[in-house]
Amino acid sequence: MNQAPVKLVQSVYEAFGRRDIPAILALCTPDMTWEVVGPSGAYPLYDTFKGPEGGVRFFSTIAENEIFSDFAIAEIHAAEGMVTVLGHATYTLIKTGKVVDTDFIHLFRLRAGRVASFREFADTAQVVAAYDDTDAHEAVPAYDTEDA
């Protein structure tokens, strides 16, 4: 298997760990798209950020909202121009001081040896509840088995 796609994505994470945003952007296509999937408007990162300016805004938004205490990659899989990453992150939300402890999936699409798009999927209910300073169980109604 060609390891170049995996090494490219690992380079993105290494630069993120150093907070080296110019190095990350150098690994991306000019029309790069960064997206964190979640309810629009519920959290500042739940948006799509495009191009180099969007990349700077994406990473600035992370820095303005999250302080990481743990970030771990569990698995990386590459196939057909895509790299899928499974991992775990723990971070404190600056606005509320609440801790988010979540698994995540990152999808990287590659083009011409560079990253063309990034999508993150994580526990949105937990993030929104922590950002709004509510209990996650209050934010997501439980399924009532008596009415089923």
Side-chain angles (χ1 to χ4, degrees), residues 110-121:
L110 311 179
R111 185 173 68 241
R114 296 171 84 186
V115 178
S117 71
F118 165 89
R119 293 185 83 198
E120 177 182 277
F121 299 86

Side-chain angles (χ1 to χ4, degrees), residues 45-66:
L45 278 168
Y46 293 164
D47 201 350
T48 301
F49 305 81
K50 297 180 181 180
E53 299 83 14
V56 169
R57 194 166 52 89
F58 173 76
F59 289 106
S60 294
T61 303
I62 292 172
E64 292 164 2
N65 289 281
E66 303 172 354

Side-chain angles (χ1 to χ4, degrees), residues 57-116:
R57 194 166 52 89
F58 173 76
F59 289 106
S60 294
T61 303
I62 292 172
E64 292 164 2
N65 289 281
E66 303 172 354
I67 299 171
F68 284 85
S69 57
D70 184 46
F71 187 90
I73 303 303
E75 300 177 36
I76 299 179
H77 304 278
E80 302 294 323
M82 181 184 288
V83 176
T84 303
V85 179
L86 306 178
H88 185 87
T90 305
Y91 53 91
T92 301
L93 296 181
I94 293 170
K95 175 184 169 189
T96 63
K98 296 253 182 157
V99 174
V100 173
D101 187 57
T102 183
D103 291 330
F104 63 78
I105 299 172
H106 289 168
L107 301 177
F108 293 84
R109 290 205 184 272
L110 311 179
R111 185 173 68 241
R114 296 171 84 186
V115 178

